[in-house]
Amino acid sequence: MKSLHALAPRMAPRMALAAPLALVLAACGSATDASEDALADNVELPADESMAGTPAPVADEGALAEDAAAAEGEAVDAAAEAEAMVAADAPAAPAAE
């Protein structure tokens, strides 16, 4: 096995070349901040621009009627339940003698 001292003369030129090569590679990178390039103004279209030319939303009359009927049914059920609770909490009528 060769000693380290015997390899040193052959390794010196490689090491001398490696340092400048590393500096060249480091210089290729960019130091700009990526968050500056990705602002909301240029990443997404503003909502007004993206919705331009689309028709205005229209209410679905059938869905509105179904919602109203369901709400009315729930109100009737709640009223019946409240009456039943009041009747259960009321004192019992005295028994006829």
Side-chain angles (χ1 to χ4, degrees):
M1 198 166 143
K2 295 183 181 181
S3 71
L4 195 54
H5 294 290
L7 293 176
R10 292 188 359 210
M11 293 292 286
R14 291 181 186 168
M15 294 303 283
L17 186 61
L21 191 59
L23 291 175
V24 169
L25 287 174
C28 291
S30 176
T32 59
D33 189 7
S35 64
E36 292 176 2
D37 295 334
L39 297 176
D41 295 339
N42 59 13
V43 172
E44 298 175 355
L45 289 175
D48 294 336
E49 290 179 18
S50 64
M51 295 301 292
T54 59
V58 179
D60 184 5
E61 296 300 326
L64 292 176
E66 290 174 8
D67 289 345
E72 185 178 334
E74 290 173 5
V76 170
D77 291 342
E81 185 178 336
E83 287 177 14
M85 290 176 67
V86 168
D89 289 342
E97 294 181 19

